[in-house]
Amino acid sequence: MAGLSINTKYKMLSGYEIPALGFGIDSARAYRNEGPCAKAIKESGIPRSEIFFTTKVPPRSMGYEQTKSSINSSFSQTGLDYIDLYYPLSRNLRHIECIESDHPRYLIHAPYGGAEARKGTWRALVEAQQAGRIRSIGVSNYGVHHLDELESYIRELETQYGGKGKGGEISVGQWELHPWLARPDIVEWCQSRGVVVQAYCPIVRGQRFGESAVTRLAEKYGKTGSQVLLRWSLQKGFVPLPKSVTPSRIEENANLYDFELTDEDMKSLETGEYAPCAWDPTTSND
């Protein structure tokens, strides 16, 4: 994928832009770090317009009224004027994400809670977006069956609220994605609809750096295993979210734009495996 740079951004269906590479701090009400994240933003000296702030609906807050309360609490905790991205959260996910960019968002972190709770949460997010409090909304860890359910519900809301776009849009979808968990069905669903695909655990928690395909490419390009896997993610059109609090590793993870994997290289990383290194709520039938 030629033309990628540290400044590359993708336009979301919401009309706002998101950086093609995300790293920094992950915020969520369940992590109890929304306030500290917002404090860091204010003390950083970086203009708010250049910070992309994401937070999430915790599992206990799935449902319409609960999600409205969660959103209000997020604003109370952060003191921010708007949130770039908001989505629903479930358990056990550990990645980091308060990335430099233009706007805040809100995601649904996982599909737990049942269909009615998922729909209620989405409706609350749509209303907050229409009120200008949240700029973009999305989902995380949804299987194709959950995505189909949500797409149908969006059409219901459009009818109810009087027109296309009134039911919200899935601007971002977030999943564990790497060569050992490529999720082609989910990726195709999203990319065919213009949904930006984020990849958490893109370097597989370092567990696959010793794989022959990775070491061969690392030697070929004089790069680390982490850089090879992040470049794979970028060339797949994903927004990788590498986790690190170490300045040298953050710098390493951003040094991805002086090489490009060939088609043959990309093919060599097609494993066909389905091997999550974290959790996998996509299979939930709740």
Side-chain angles (χ1 to χ4, degrees), residues 14-32:
S14 63
Y16 293 103
E17 292 183 324
I18 184 172
L21 177 65
F23 54 87
I25 307 166
D26 190 23
S27 109
R29 295 202 60 233
Y31 304 161
R32 299 182 181 178

Side-chain angles (χ1 to χ4, degrees), residues 188-227:
E188 193 281 330
W189 194 100
C190 290
Q191 293 184 338
S192 68
R193 292 163 171 80
V195 178
V196 172
V197 176
Q198 286 188 322
Y200 70 81
C201 294
I203 61 174
V204 207
R205 296 180 174 170
Q207 297 170 8
R208 300 283 190 160
F209 290 164
E211 297 279 343
S212 59
V214 176
T215 58
R216 181 183 67 80
L217 293 176
E219 292 172 4
K220 176 180 177 179
Y221 294 105
K223 292 293 182 178
T224 64
S226 174
Q227 290 169 322

Side-chain angles (χ1 to χ4, degrees), residues 62-124:
M62 291 292 282
Y64 179 70
E65 293 295 342
Q66 298 94 319
T67 297
K68 288 205 305 181
S69 177
S70 176
I71 293 168
N72 289 334
S73 180
S74 292
F75 280 99
S76 174
Q77 290 289 321
T78 64
L80 297 175
D81 294 329
Y82 64 90
I83 291 172
D84 292 290
L85 177 63
Y86 216 133
Y87 62 79
L89 166 70
S90 193
R91 308 163 187 77
N92 301 330
L93 187 60
R94 305 177 210 125
H95 69 273
I96 294 201
E97 179 195 5
C98 168
I99 54 185
E100 286 193 42
S101 177
D102 294 347
H103 310 285
R105 53 186 187 147
Y106 220 132
L107 295 183
I108 301 176
H109 211 154
Y112 296 147
E116 291 310 307
R118 287 191 291 270
K119 291 176 182 179
T121 288
W122 184 260
R123 182 161 65 94

Side-chain angles (χ1 to χ4, degrees), residues 6 42 60 73 102 110 124-125 134 143 152 163 167 202 204 239 241 285:
I6 191 68
K42 294 167 185 174
R60 65 181 180 277
S73 180
D102 294 347
L125 292 177
I134 297 168
S152 295
V204 207
V239 173
L241 303 170
N285 289 312

Side-chain angles (χ1 to χ4, degrees), residues 166-183:
K166 298 294 187 181
E169 64 287 308
I170 308 171
S171 286
V172 176
Q174 187 183 97
W175 291 269
E176 179 184 341
L177 286 164
H178 45 70
W180 299 272
L181 190 62
R183 303 190 189 276

Side-chain angles (χ1 to χ4, degrees), residues 223-234:
K223 292 293 182 178
T224 64
S226 174
Q227 290 169 322
V228 167
L229 293 176
L230 290 172
R231 184 70 201 191
W232 174 89
S233 192
L234 287 170

